[in-house]
Amino acid sequence: MKLKYPFVAALGILFGIQIGYAQTGPKKEKAPQKVSPPAIAVEQAKPEPPPFAPVLWKEDISPVEFLRNDPSKVFEWLETQIKTVPGKIDQFSTREERQQYETALTEKMKAIGQIAFVSNCLKKYDPDRQIFEIKAPAFAIKDTMLKEPNPELLKLRKLMVGRANVKRDTYTGQNAYGATTEIIRDVADDYVIAYPSGANSEPSSIVTSGSSASTVSLPYRYNFIQYSTTLSMAPSEAREKEKEISCLAVVSIEPPYIFRFKERDTPTRDSPFDRTSNGFAFFGKLDHLWIVNKATGAVYSKHSRSGL
């Protein structure tokens, strides 16, 4: 069969070949895209909190500020202050070196001055009289092994300002006659202000009860007193603020500034309590005992020792 238009056919074949080549020819490769490396998260180092330092006493500071004075941290801080005084005394120190050390230590502690603690009070509300009866008990130090300072010689009192590491459990005890009873065991670190008794060392105007009010002379280890005062308050307000009413105790530290002691009360059938107190004491004078509101900073009453 002959083609009617051979020239046109030839052009079509040639054109088709060119189109086919253009369609099936090698494709242009795309330029590779730049891939950014994955971002590495860099953790910002958290700034270390500043070293602890207590809020030193000033009468115009709100009592709320003194909640920062955790007794355990204050004790450690004072211990560090004493240790950093140059010229530590040992058996080889001369009299001059001892005097230099004592002078440096005295100056450093004098700069600290007074320290305040907010602690719990014993409270009982009388709705008929619409008053709180508020008490803060103080006891003798019963560590017979403690010689410096000597508790019995100085007639020391201790006022609790905090507890830590409290552990409680029970066990069955048996006496020499075979009788058994359940014993409550209590072990704790007790932080106290320790000070001599008397008007120059404590707010004696509110000492209202305890062994000092008794006509019977008791051995030192049984001595105790209570600082007692009252606070007028309407029932509705008392119900709201009862948990916030606290004691603010202020101590001016004196040599030896701080010390440790240990007390143990062994259980009896009549008093089935096994108590161990690891004591940490701030030594000096109890300058002030205020009744405050630890939430609002309100001061309800102020009581101070003589000589201030």
Side-chain angles (χ1 to χ4, degrees):
M1 178 178 177
K2 292 184 178 180
L3 294 174
K4 190 173 181 179
Y5 302 102
F7 178 74
V8 174
L11 288 175
I13 292 171
L14 179 61
F15 185 74
I17 292 172
Q18 290 175 341
I19 293 176
Y21 181 82
Q23 291 176 344
T24 60
K27 297 181 179 180
K28 293 183 179 180
E29 296 183 359
K30 295 182 179 180
Q33 296 180 349
K34 293 182 179 181
V35 179
S36 301
I40 300 175
V42 179
E43 291 186 4
Q44 295 291 335
K46 294 181 179 179
E48 293 186 3
F52 173 81
V55 179
L56 300 181
W57 169 251
K58 286 185 180 179
E59 193 165 343
D60 58 351
I61 294 179
S62 169
V64 175
E65 296 297 319
F66 300 114
L67 289 170
R68 293 167 50 192
N69 288 352
D70 181 315
S72 62
K73 292 182 179 180
V74 175
F75 192 93
E76 291 178 3
W77 181 81
L78 283 172
E79 208 166 35
T80 300
Q81 299 303 303
I82 294 171
K83 288 179 180 178
T84 55
V85 175
K88 193 66 176 178
I89 299 302
D90 57 24
Q91 61 178 328
F92 305 105
S93 301
T94 64
R95 179 180 298 179
E96 182 180 357
E97 289 172 335
R98 291 174 185 273
Q99 290 177 343
Q100 290 174 348
Y101 173 79
E102 292 297 333
T103 300
L105 178 59
T106 300
E107 289 300 316
K108 190 163 192 174
M109 294 297 105
K110 185 178 179 180
I112 294 171
Q114 299 164 295
I115 302 175
F117 300 97
V118 178
S119 60
N120 294 327
C121 299
L122 301 177
K123 302 180 288 286
K124 184 178 180 181
Y125 188 70
D126 185 334
D128 296 323
R129 298 166 59 200
Q130 297 191 11
I131 63 170
F132 272 111
E133 295 178 353
I134 301 175
K135 296 181 180 180
F139 300 91
I141 294 178
K142 295 179 287 187
D143 186 347
T144 57
M145 302 300 292
L146 182 63
K147 302 303 180 185
E148 182 57 39
N150 189 312
E152 186 168 1
L153 181 64
L154 297 174
K155 303 299 181 188
L156 292 185
R157 306 195 200 282
K158 62 175 182 182
L159 178 70
M160 180 88 71
V161 292
R163 301 195 90 196
N165 302 321
V166 180
K167 298 178 182 178
R168 292 190 178 95
D169 62 3
T170 60
Y171 65 91
T172 301
Q174 183 175 359
N175 65 14
Y177 301 100
T180 60
T181 188
E182 185 178 57
I183 306 298
I184 300 172
R185 178 163 45 198
D186 180 291
V187 180
D189 294 343
D190 292 331
Y191 292 85
V192 306
I193 296 175
Y195 49 94
S197 60
N200 290 327
S201 298
E202 61 182 335
S204 58
S205 62
I206 56 172
V207 174
T208 59
S209 61
S211 60
S212 62
S214 173
T215 57
V216 179
S217 179
L218 298 174
Y220 165 73
R221 65 179 286 109
Y222 298 110
N223 286 347
F224 76 97
I225 56 98
Q226 294 191 94
Y227 304 104
S228 180
T229 187
T230 59
L231 172 61
S232 298
M233 191 171 289
S236 58
E237 186 181 4
R239 187 178 295 109
E240 178 186 349
K241 297 180 178 178
E242 189 269 340
K243 292 183 179 179
E244 281 80 38
I245 296 174
S246 305
C247 286
L248 173 69
V250 181
V251 57
S252 53
I253 55 174
E254 297 179 352
Y257 309 110
I258 56 175
F259 65 88
R260 288 177 168 82
F261 63 95
K262 191 162 188 173
E263 296 177 331
R264 171 80 188 279
D265 290 331
T266 55
T268 64
R269 188 169 181 81
D270 296 327
S271 179
F273 300 100
D274 183 348
R275 297 189 181 96
T276 300
S277 171
N278 301 308
F280 300 82
F282 305 95
F283 182 78
K285 293 179 179 178
L286 181 61
D287 292 337
H288 306 286
L289 190 63
W290 291 7
I291 308 303
V292 302
N293 186 308
K294 66 180 180 181
T296 66
V299 178
Y300 298 117
S301 62
K302 300 181 180 181
H303 311 280
S304 303
R305 67 175 177 86
S306 299
L308 290 177

